[in-house]
Amino acid sequence: MSEEKKRRPEDDGQDFANAAWSIPSYLLAGMAIYGGAGWLLDRWLGLSALFPIGVVVGVVLAAYLVYRKYGR
């Protein structure tokens, strides 16, 4: 048998820790990036609705990425 990666019981804790840090990071980054883009568009266009829309779109897209990575 070759030296392939084998699942070890101690790796399960590391996988959980990686997911526990990356899921909130995805959500915060989505809110920051799309919320920031909405804020910039608000300032540029003189509107007031694009910032909250950007934050919501960022959370939805981040949740979709989390689902794609960890939900299967």
Side-chain angles (χ1 to χ4, degrees):
M1 191 169 213
S2 66
E3 294 279 334
E4 295 179 26
K5 276 186 132 179
K6 295 180 183 178
R7 297 285 301 168
R8 297 180 302 183
E10 57 269 11
D11 289 341
D12 291 336
Q14 184 66 32
D15 291 344
F16 177 76
N18 289 340
W21 280 105
S22 65
I23 290 172
S25 298
Y26 276 123
L27 295 174
L28 289 173
M31 287 187 336
I33 290 171
Y34 286 97
W39 180 79
L40 287 174
L41 286 172
D42 275 348
R43 304 283 289 181
W44 185 48
L45 298 174
L47 300 172
S48 63
L50 295 179
F51 173 69
I53 291 171
V55 171
V56 170
V57 168
V59 169
V60 168
L61 290 175
Y64 174 71
L65 288 175
V66 167
Y67 170 74
R68 291 279 306 195
K69 187 167 185 177
Y70 298 107
R72 293 181 179 214

